[in-house]
Amino acid sequence: LGDLSVNRIGFGAMRLTGSAAFHHGTPSERDRSIAVLRKAVELGVNHIDTAAFYFSSLRSANEIINSALSPYRDGLVIAAKVGPFRDYAGEWATSARPEDLRGHVEENLRQLGRDHLDLVYLRRMGQDSVAEHFGALAELRDKGLVRHLGISDVEPRHLAEAQAIAPVVSVQNRFGLGSRNRVTDEMLRICGAQGIAFVPFYAIAGEAGPEGATDAHDEAVLAVARAHDASPAQVRLAWTLAQGPHVLAIPGTGNPDHLAENIAAGALRLTRDELDTLNSLHRQAG
């Protein structure tokens, strides 16, 4: 991530506050969420992906991160997203205007208890051009509030547009085995060619998306899982990482058992034949 080195299995903070999609449901147990975060760092996670809009009626992911990990150890990279906006009732509001982004960055800083963010993603919210919004973040980078910049939910043209303004160290798009999107497949290739980190979200969720990891697995995935005495989710993570050395993973969970399983997936090595089978499955999707 720019000049920041991270382990390839990171942690997505979205599920720390509850299990329902974007947390309109039952809040999580705060002590358990704190314990999961601390365990993640003990197991080698040094890349945490979060956002101020990850909150439920009683929980804030950023506050939990602050409580669990502050003072932050050296080498721990915190990435945050801005662009989407939820009001205090938890309802999605319109996308942030460029002039709103400083306030959104500062809100992340306040909640996390930090004076700068290692990486901030501009999450595109359907706008045709990202130039004005990304330019506003580039100004915050120049002021020292942000160290590196990334973009999310974008097409190749948006990457080129942003790069004309400031360096882009990471792209975050939805990507996973069987959830094929030709634009995102092209983004994966471009990022690899340019040495830009590619950080997929919902890599093990499949069509379930924000609801959680899918339980609808193709027989090919199940067969590979049996061969390695692994779970289908681990196979999906291993396949994701096998797409290139520039690919990272940020699976999220509030369950300590799932946490250990996700991190262990980083050591799972699929054979060439297994990769060929799963790649064929992916090409048939979408």
Side-chain angles (χ1 to χ4, degrees), residues 82 100-110 117 120 137 140 145-146:
V82 296
D100 296 330
L101 294 181
R102 176 165 187 149
H104 289 200
V105 168
E106 290 176 341
E107 179 68 3
N108 278 282
L109 290 171
R110 182 187 66 78
L117 292 171
V120 171
L137 289 182
L140 300 182
L145 294 180
V146 176

Side-chain angles (χ1 to χ4, degrees), residues 1-138:
L1 295 170
D3 60 352
L4 303 172
S5 294
V6 296
N7 295 326
R8 295 185 71 196
I9 298 281
F11 184 89
M14 188 178 76
R15 301 194 185 286
L16 285 177
T17 68
S19 58
F22 291 106
H23 320 306
H24 292 287
T26 304
S28 64
E29 295 181 14
R30 185 172 182 276
D31 289 345
R32 177 166 139 156
S33 293
I34 287 175
V36 165
L37 265 176
R38 289 176 175 166
K39 187 63 175 178
V41 173
E42 288 176 15
L43 292 174
V45 167
N46 60 356
H47 171 210
I48 295 175
D49 183 87
T50 188
F53 53 83
Y54 291 167
F55 66 87
S56 67
S57 57
L58 298 177
R59 304 282 181 263
S60 155
N62 282 351
E63 184 276 327
I64 291 172
I65 292 169
N66 190 348
S67 296
L69 303 179
S70 180
Y72 300 100
R73 64 172 63 182
D74 292 341
L76 179 63
V77 173
I78 307 290
K81 289 176 292 298
V82 296
F85 177 73
R86 293 171 66 199
D87 62 25
Y88 288 116
E91 298 300 323
W92 292 103
T94 57
S95 175
R97 299 182 299 273
E99 59 268 26
D100 296 330
L101 294 181
R102 176 165 187 149
H104 289 200
V105 168
E106 290 176 341
E107 179 68 3
N108 278 282
L109 290 171
R110 182 187 66 78
Q111 293 175 358
L112 290 165
R114 301 187 62 143
D115 58 10
H116 76 278
L117 292 171
D118 299 313
L119 169 61
V120 171
Y121 290 96
L122 172 65
R123 176 67 179 270
R124 186 176 73 97
M125 297 298 290
Q127 64 263 40
D128 184 61
S129 169
V130 299
E132 196 173 359
H133 288 77
F134 194 78
L137 289 182

Side-chain angles (χ1 to χ4, degrees), residues 204 228-239 260-266 268 270:
I204 59 177
H228 290 271
D229 193 23
S231 71
Q234 287 178 309
V235 171
R236 287 176 176 273
L237 281 173
W239 176 87
E261 178 182 295
N262 290 341
I263 294 174
L268 179 59
L270 304 179

